[in-house]
């Protein structure tokens, strides 16, 4: 017989870690709250009859946030056989609040006291026996991270699941308890209903949303209203506050009874945080960390390792071997060119940056795992709150450093409509893994400075802030950002298996893209480059023919669009356009074009970019920044559409990204021309100055909407 087990618990209590341990799956474990918005399900690796569902983390079952609604709807409507409530045992008091609510649903429950490794390290003492007696349900002490006792939780849960009903945790004072029984008695639909207690409490809390689906007559309704009203009069408080107050008092009592904190004073985490989140040191440390990471990835790994991997292996050895082989078996010229220049030239150019991408992803995974990423959100929140941006926006932006798609999806946790839409628009400004390819290419062949890549990272953050300042002052996004409450998790030593799994997951996605969408794109580029018009008719074009390839026509047609940005040549324009498919395709396209008739060693790409296309430091910078800030890839645009749920907003997002990136790259090119290339002033310089002044004006003008409260999103269930 199958058993369905739901994992519930506060954010960051370790649900997903436990879920992965139990199912052997690879769900994303982030050391910050709000990572799991959708429920995920998998099967227990030791018994496929047992299904396990990872629910979004919540502090309570009220109907205020999307996570709460997803979790409570699942528990109420789908009724799993048993709930495992994961309790962060270093913080029992806060975590029990949810436990009291879960026990009222009438589903058998097991409490998994997680993080017992930390509890032991802190020398806290928890009297489990006493707790079990108070709470009336079994407790298993586990460490999800170290996979300790996790199978035992399942055994206990399966046993509990056989029970038909359970007693709710008895958290209420006699008056309230009495009233709840009265309410249950007055509603016909609650007779013999295992969820009677849950609904009675919802009546008391005046939680209309929960009562919508309940069978309750108008007469019953007015009667129970009266009952609630009487209690509110008696205790001189509103129903919801009465319930909340009782829960807290109850929890305080039992925690005082059965938990002894080992040591008072600062934990290791507190000590580290004193430095790392210090008002003055936080930003410099954060900047330093990012500089070091990008420096190692782009300048060190991008050096010898990439020289070998990209230039020798993918640039010479493999192409030579393949062309030798193709020559031996005597394939047609065009096929040999398609495989050698098109596929190996294009995909090879992209794969060439694999060591850099892997290093970057590895470092990001480490920062996430040890708990530093959530500090970054905290630090940035403090810094940027005064710019009108909410800290909750920074989690999507930080996730976007790996890939914009999950970043954009993570905006779902932002309750406030205006904040959420704004975050969706700006989340893709960060250099994702694919954009890093473009940055690495131009850094390697033209810009040659170790600080270029970290600079791009900070340009991303800068673009976010500037956009925040500008957009916040428009009526569309007005209003104070919602306060951001975030639990900072304890630091822990990096868990190698976790980190490698996350890194491998991201590398796999990259490789999958290289084998599918990038492969198709470079084949398309090759075809457009070798098919064209010669003497008025369709023809195969190669170096020796006099005809013009379609790619040239297309390039020439769209190149003028980019002339004001300094890269108004056909190939760069085409590469930029194809970058909409996936940003790696930009590099792949240059790879195919550079390898015309030759192999695609990176040095050839560099010859091609510098001599063939005439890139200078200034135009390279403008090209890079434009591609970083402009409309992201199709997948990310899809995510934008999905999260906006509205065509007009999706178009606005795309439009804003185009205008913003264009203006930014235009200024870089125009000012770079004057300042770096020492060229003369002209009309364009004037326009660039006007744009700069306009942007500054939009950022600093008076905020007419300051202090207005924004409407909260009505959470749809
Ligand atoms: P969720 O938000 O409840 O899904 O929590 P996650 O599974 O994403 O875990 C949050 C953080 O707690 C991660 O950094 C985990 O590595 C860490 N964590 C989870 N379980 C344990 C544990 O038993 N001990 C310790 N020390 N850390 C844990
Ligand atoms: Mg999770």
């Amino acid at each position: 017989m199958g058993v369905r087990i739901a994992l519930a618990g506060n954010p960051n209590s370790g649900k997903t870690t436990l879920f992965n341990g139990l199912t052997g799956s690879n769900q994303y474990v982030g050391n910050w709250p709000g990572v799991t918005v959708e429920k995920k399900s998998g099967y227990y690796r030791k018994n496929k009859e047992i299904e396990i569902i990872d629910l979004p983390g919540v502090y309570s079952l009220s109907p205020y946030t999307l996570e709460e609604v997803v979790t409570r709807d699942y528990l109420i409507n789908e009724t799993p056989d048993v709930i495992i409530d994961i309790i962060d045992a270093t913080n029992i008091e806060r975590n029990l609040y949810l436990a009291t609510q879960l026990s009222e649903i009438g589903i058998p429950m097991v409490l998994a006291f997680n993080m017992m490794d930390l509890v032991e390290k802190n020398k806290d003492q928890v009297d489990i026996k006493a707790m079990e007696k108070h709470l009336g349900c079994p407790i298993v002490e586990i460490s999800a991270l170290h996979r300790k006792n996790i199978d035992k939780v399942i055994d206990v849960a399966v046993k509990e699941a056989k029970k038909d009903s359970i007693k709710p945790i008895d958290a209420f004072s006699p008056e309230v308890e009495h009233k709840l029984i009265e309410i249950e008695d007055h509603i016909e639909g609650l007779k013999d209903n295992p969820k009677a207690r849950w609904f009675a409490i919802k009546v008391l809390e005046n939680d209309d949303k929960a009562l919508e689906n309940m069978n309750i007559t108008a007469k019953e309704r007015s009667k129970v209203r009266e009952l609630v009203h009487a209690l509110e009069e008696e205790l001189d408080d509103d129903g919801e506050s009465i319930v909340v107050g009782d829960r807290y008092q109850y929890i305080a009592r039992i925690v005082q009874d059965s938990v002894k904190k080992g040591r008072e004073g600062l934990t290791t985490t507190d000590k580290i945080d004193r430095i790392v989140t210090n008002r003055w040191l936080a930003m410099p440390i954060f900047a330093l960390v990012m500089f070091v990471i990008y420096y190692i990835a782009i300048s060190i790994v991008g050096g010898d390792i990439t020289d070998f991997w990209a230039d020798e292996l993918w640039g010479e050895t493999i192409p030579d071997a393949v062309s030798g082989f193709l020559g031996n078996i005597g394939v047609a010229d065009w096929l040999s060119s398609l495989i050698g220049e098109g596929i190996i030239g294009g995909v090879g150019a992209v794969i060439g940056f694999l060591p850099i991408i892997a290093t970057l992803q590895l470092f990001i995974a480490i920062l996430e795992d040890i708990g530093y990423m959530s500090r970054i959100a905290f630090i940035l929140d403090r810094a940027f709150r005064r710019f009108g941006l909410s800290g909750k926006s920074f989690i999507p932006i930080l996730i976007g450093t790996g890939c914009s798609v999950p970043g954009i999806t993570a905006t779902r946790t932002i309750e406030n409509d205006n904040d959420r839409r704004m975050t969706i628009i700006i989340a893709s400004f960060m250099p994702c893994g694919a954009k890093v390819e473009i940055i690495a290419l131009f850094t390697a062949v033209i810009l040659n400075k170790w600080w270029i890549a970290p600079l791009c990272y900070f340009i991303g953050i800068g673009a976010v802030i500037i956009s925040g300042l500008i957009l916040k002052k428009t009526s569309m996004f007005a209003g104070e950002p919602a306060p951001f409450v975030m639990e900072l998790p304890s630091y822990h030593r990096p868990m190698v298996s976790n980190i490698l799994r996350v890194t491998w997951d991201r590398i796999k996605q990259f490789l999958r893209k290289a084998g599918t969408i990038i492969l198709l794109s470079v084949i398309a580029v090759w075809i457009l480059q070798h098919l064209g018009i010669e003497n008025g008719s369709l023809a195969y074009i190669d170096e020796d023919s006099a005809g013009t390839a379609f790619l040239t026509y297309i390039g020439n047609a769209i190149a003028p669009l980019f002339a004001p940005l300094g890269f108004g040549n056909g190939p760069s324009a085409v590469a930029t356009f194809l970058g909409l498919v996936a940003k790696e395709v930009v590099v792949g396209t240059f790879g195919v074009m550079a390898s015309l008739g030759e192999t695609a060693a990176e040095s050839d790409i560099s010859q091609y970019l510098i001599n063939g296309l005439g890139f200078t430091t200034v135009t390279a910078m403008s090209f890079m920044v434009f591609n970083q800030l402009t409309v992201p890839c199709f997948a990310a645009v899809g995510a934008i559409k999905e999260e906006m749920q509205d065509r007009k907003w999706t178009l606005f997002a795309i439009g804003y990204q185009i205008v913003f990136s264009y203006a930014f790259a235009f200024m870089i090119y125009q000012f770079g021309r004057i300042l770096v290339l020492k060229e003369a002033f002209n009309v364009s310089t004037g326009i660039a100055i006007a744009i700069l002044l306009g942007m500054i004006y939009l950022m600093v003008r008076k905020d007419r909407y300051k202090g207005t409260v924004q409407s909260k999103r009505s959470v749809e269930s």
Side-chain angles (χ1 to χ4, degrees), residues 173-213:
S173 62
E175 298 99 308
V176 177
E177 181 64 34
H178 186 78
K179 196 61 76 178
L180 287 171
I181 293 171
E182 249 185 294
I183 293 172
E184 286 172 34
D185 284 345
H186 276 92
I187 301 175
E188 194 58 37
L190 293 186
K191 296 259 154 63
D192 297 322
N193 185 335
K195 299 191 175 79
R197 177 48 61 111
W198 161 264
F199 284 113
I201 292 171
K202 292 297 139 190
V203 170
L204 191 50
E205 288 177 327
N206 301 309
D207 179 346
D208 292 334
K209 186 134 185 102
L211 302 180
E212 269 165 19
N213 307 328

Coordinates of all heavy atoms in Angstrom, one line a residue, residues 173-213:
S173 N -5.9 28.0 25.9 CA -6.4 28.2 27.3 C -7.9 27.6 27.4 O -8.5 27.5 26.4 CB -6.4 29.7 27.6 OG -7.3 30.3 26.7
P174 N -8.3 27.3 28.6 CA -9.6 26.7 28.7 C -10.8 27.5 28.1 O -11.6 26.9 27.4 CB -9.8 26.7 30.3 CG -8.5 26.7 30.8 CD -7.6 27.4 29.9
E175 N -10.7 28.8 28.2 CA -11.8 29.6 27.5 C -11.9 29.4 26.0 O -12.9 29.2 25.4 CB -11.6 31.1 27.7 CG -11.6 31.7 29.1 CD -10.2 31.9 29.6 OE1 -9.4 30.9 29.5 OE2 -9.9 33.0 30.1
V176 N -10.7 29.4 25.4 CA -10.6 29.3 24.0 C -11.0 27.9 23.6 O -11.8 27.6 22.7 CB -9.2 29.6 23.5 CG1 -9.1 29.4 22.0 CG2 -8.9 31.1 23.8
E177 N -10.5 26.9 24.3 CA -10.7 25.5 24.0 C -12.3 25.3 24.1 O -12.8 24.6 23.2 CB -10.0 24.7 25.1 CG -10.2 23.2 24.9 CD -9.6 22.6 23.6 OE1 -8.5 23.2 23.2 OE2 -10.1 21.7 23.1
H178 N -12.9 25.8 25.1 CA -14.3 25.7 25.3 C -15.0 26.2 24.1 O -16.0 25.6 23.5 CB -14.7 26.4 26.5 CG -16.1 26.2 26.9 ND1 -16.6 25.0 27.5 CD2 -17.2 27.0 26.7 CE1 -17.9 25.1 27.7 NE2 -18.3 26.3 27.2
K179 N -14.6 27.4 23.6 CA -15.3 28.1 22.5 C -15.1 27.3 21.2 O -16.0 27.1 20.4 CB -14.6 29.5 22.3 CG -15.5 30.4 21.5 CD -16.8 30.7 22.0 CE -16.8 31.6 23.2 NZ -18.2 32.0 23.7
L180 N -13.9 26.7 21.1 CA -13.7 25.9 19.8 C -14.7 24.7 19.8 O -15.2 24.4 18.7 CB -12.2 25.4 19.8 CG -11.2 26.5 19.5 CD1 -9.8 25.9 19.7 CD2 -11.4 27.0 18.1
I181 N -14.8 24.0 20.9 CA -15.8 22.9 21.0 C -17.2 23.4 20.6 O -17.9 22.7 19.9 CB -15.7 22.2 22.4 CG1 -14.3 21.6 22.5 CG2 -16.8 21.2 22.5 CD1 -14.1 21.1 23.9
E182 N -17.5 24.5 21.2 CA -18.8 25.1 20.9 C -19.0 25.3 19.4 O -20.1 25.0 18.8 CB -19.0 26.4 21.6 CG -20.0 26.4 22.7 CD -20.2 27.8 23.3 OE1 -19.2 28.3 23.9 OE2 -21.3 28.3 23.1
I183 N -18.0 25.9 18.8 CA -18.1 26.2 17.3 C -18.2 24.9 16.6 O -19.1 24.8 15.7 CB -16.8 26.9 16.8 CG1 -16.8 28.3 17.5 CG2 -16.8 27.0 15.3 CD1 -15.5 29.1 17.2
E184 N -17.4 23.9 16.9 CA -17.5 22.6 16.2 C -18.9 22.0 16.3 O -19.5 21.5 15.4 CB -16.5 21.6 16.8 CG -15.1 21.9 16.4 CD -14.1 21.0 17.1 OE1 -14.4 19.8 17.4 OE2 -13.0 21.5 17.4
D185 N -19.5 22.2 17.5 CA -20.9 21.7 17.7 C -21.9 22.4 16.9 O -23.0 21.8 16.6 CB -21.3 21.8 19.2 CG -20.6 20.7 20.0 OD1 -20.0 19.8 19.4 OD2 -20.5 20.9 21.3
H186 N -21.7 23.6 16.6 CA -22.7 24.4 15.9 C -22.7 24.3 14.4 O -23.5 24.8 13.7 CB -22.6 25.9 16.3 CG -23.3 26.2 17.5 ND1 -22.7 26.1 18.8 CD2 -24.6 26.5 17.8 CE1 -23.6 26.4 19.7 NE2 -24.8 26.6 19.1
I187 N -21.7 23.6 13.9 CA -21.6 23.5 12.4 C -21.8 22.0 12.0 O -21.0 21.2 12.4 CB -20.3 24.0 11.9 CG1 -20.1 25.5 12.3 CG2 -20.2 23.8 10.4 CD1 -18.8 26.1 11.9
E188 N -22.9 21.8 11.3 CA -23.2 20.4 11.0 C -22.1 19.7 10.2 O -21.7 18.5 10.5 CB -24.5 20.4 10.1 CG -25.2 19.0 10.0 CD -25.6 18.4 11.3 OE1 -26.0 19.2 12.2 OE2 -25.4 17.2 11.4
G189 N -21.5 20.4 9.3 CA -20.4 19.8 8.4 C -19.2 19.4 9.2 O -18.3 18.7 8.6
L190 N -19.0 19.8 10.4 CA -17.8 19.4 11.1 C -18.0 18.2 12.0 O -17.0 17.7 12.5 CB -17.4 20.6 12.0 CG -16.9 21.9 11.3 CD1 -16.4 22.9 12.3 CD2 -15.9 21.5 10.3
K191 N -19.2 17.7 12.1 CA -19.4 16.4 12.8 C -18.6 15.3 12.2 O -18.7 15.1 11.0 CB -20.9 16.1 12.8 CG -21.9 17.1 13.5 CD -22.3 16.6 14.9 CE -22.6 17.8 15.8 NZ -23.8 18.6 15.3
D192 N -17.8 14.7 13.0 CA -17.0 13.5 12.5 C -16.1 13.9 11.4 O -15.6 13.1 10.7 CB -17.9 12.4 12.0 CG -18.8 11.8 13.1 OD1 -18.2 11.8 14.3 OD2 -19.9 11.5 12.9
N193 N -15.8 15.2 11.3 CA -14.8 15.6 10.3 C -13.4 15.6 10.9 O -13.3 16.3 11.9 CB -15.2 17.0 9.8 CG -14.3 17.5 8.6 OD1 -13.2 17.0 8.5 ND2 -14.9 18.4 7.8
P194 N -12.5 14.9 10.4 CA -11.2 14.9 11.0 C -10.5 16.3 11.0 O -9.6 16.5 11.9 CB -10.3 13.9 10.2 CG -11.1 13.7 8.9 CD -12.5 14.0 9.2
K195 N -10.9 17.2 10.2 CA -10.4 18.5 10.1 C -11.2 19.5 10.9 O -11.0 20.7 10.8 CB -10.2 19.0 8.7 CG -9.3 18.1 7.8 CD -9.0 18.7 6.5 CE -8.0 17.9 5.7 NZ -8.6 16.8 5.0
A196 N -12.1 19.0 11.7 CA -13.0 19.9 12.5 C -12.3 21.0 13.3 O -12.6 22.2 13.2 CB -13.9 19.1 13.4
R197 N -11.2 20.5 13.9 CA -10.5 21.5 14.8 C -9.9 22.6 13.9 O -9.9 23.8 14.3 CB -9.4 20.7 15.5 CG -8.5 21.5 16.4 CD -9.2 22.5 17.3 NE -10.1 21.9 18.3 CZ -9.9 21.9 19.6 NH1 -8.8 22.4 20.1 NH2 -10.8 21.5 20.4
W198 N -9.3 22.2 12.8 CA -8.7 23.2 11.9 C -9.7 24.3 11.5 O -9.5 25.5 11.6 CB -8.1 22.5 10.7 CG -7.9 23.4 9.5 CD1 -8.7 23.5 8.4 CD2 -6.7 24.1 9.2 NE1 -8.2 24.4 7.5 CE2 -7.0 24.8 8.0 CE3 -5.5 24.4 9.9 CZ2 -6.0 25.6 7.4 CZ3 -4.6 25.2 9.3 CH2 -4.9 25.9 8.1
F199 N -10.9 23.8 11.0 CA -11.9 24.8 10.6 C -12.4 25.6 11.7 O -12.7 26.8 11.6 CB -13.0 24.0 9.8 CG -12.6 23.6 8.5 CD1 -12.5 22.3 8.1 CD2 -12.4 24.6 7.5 CE1 -12.1 21.9 6.8 CE2 -12.0 24.2 6.2 CZ -11.9 22.8 5.9
A200 N -12.6 25.0 12.9 CA -13.1 25.8 14.0 C -12.1 26.9 14.3 O -12.6 28.0 14.6 CB -13.3 24.8 15.2
I201 N -10.9 26.6 14.3 CA -9.9 27.6 14.6 C -9.9 28.7 13.5 O -9.8 29.9 13.8 CB -8.5 27.0 14.7 CG1 -8.4 26.2 16.0 CG2 -7.4 28.1 14.8 CD1 -7.2 25.3 16.1
K202 N -10.1 28.3 12.3 CA -10.2 29.3 11.2 C -11.4 30.2 11.4 O -11.4 31.4 11.1 CB -10.3 28.6 9.8 CG -9.0 27.9 9.4 CD -7.9 28.8 9.3 CE -6.6 28.2 9.9 NZ -5.5 29.1 10.0
V203 N -12.5 29.6 11.9 CA -13.7 30.4 12.2 C -13.3 31.5 13.3 O -13.6 32.7 13.1 CB -14.8 29.6 12.7 CG1 -16.0 30.5 13.3 CG2 -15.4 28.7 11.6
L204 N -12.6 31.0 14.3 CA -12.2 31.9 15.4 C -11.2 33.0 14.9 O -11.3 34.1 15.3 CB -11.5 31.1 16.5 CG -11.2 31.7 17.8 CD1 -12.5 32.4 18.3 CD2 -10.8 30.7 18.8
E205 N -10.4 32.6 13.9 CA -9.4 33.6 13.4 C -10.0 34.5 12.3 O -9.3 35.3 11.8 CB -8.2 32.9 12.7 CG -7.3 32.2 13.7 CD -6.2 31.4 13.0 OE1 -6.4 30.9 11.9 OE2 -5.1 31.4 13.6
N206 N -11.3 34.3 12.0 CA -12.0 35.1 11.0 C -11.2 34.9 9.6 O -11.1 35.9 8.9 CB -12.1 36.6 11.3 CG -12.8 36.8 12.6 OD1 -14.0 36.3 12.7 ND2 -12.3 37.5 13.6
D207 N -10.7 33.7 9.4 CA -10.0 33.5 8.1 C -10.9 33.0 7.1 O -11.2 31.9 6.9 CB -8.9 32.4 8.4 CG -8.1 32.1 7.2 OD1 -8.5 32.4 6.1 OD2 -7.0 31.4 7.4
D208 N -11.5 34.0 6.4 CA -12.6 33.7 5.5 C -12.2 32.8 4.3 O -12.9 32.0 3.8 CB -13.2 35.0 4.9 CG -14.0 35.8 6.0 OD1 -14.4 35.1 7.0 OD2 -14.1 37.0 5.9
K209 N -10.9 33.0 3.9 CA -10.4 32.3 2.8 C -10.5 30.8 3.0 O -10.9 30.0 2.2 CB -9.0 32.7 2.6 CG -8.4 32.1 1.4 CD -7.6 33.2 0.6 CE -7.1 32.6 -0.7 NZ -7.9 32.9 -1.9
A210 N -10.2 30.4 4.3 CA -10.2 28.9 4.6 C -11.6 28.4 4.6 O -11.9 27.2 4.5 CB -9.5 28.7 5.9
L211 N -12.6 29.3 4.9 CA -13.9 28.9 5.1 C -14.7 28.8 3.8 O -15.8 28.2 3.7 CB -14.7 29.8 6.1 CG -14.0 29.9 7.4 CD1 -14.7 30.8 8.4 CD2 -13.8 28.5 8.1
E212 N -14.1 29.3 2.7 CA -14.9 29.4 1.4 C -15.3 28.0 1.0 O -16.4 27.8 0.5 CB -13.9 29.9 0.4 CG -14.0 31.4 0.2 CD -12.8 32.0 -0.6 OE1 -12.2 31.2 -1.3 OE2 -12.6 33.2 -0.5
N213 N -14.4 27.0 1.2 CA -14.8 25.7 0.6 C -15.5 24.8 1.6 O -15.7 23.6 1.5 CB -13.5 24.9 0.2 CG -12.7 25.8 -0.7 OD1 -13.2 26.5 -1.5 ND2 -11.4 25.6 -0.6

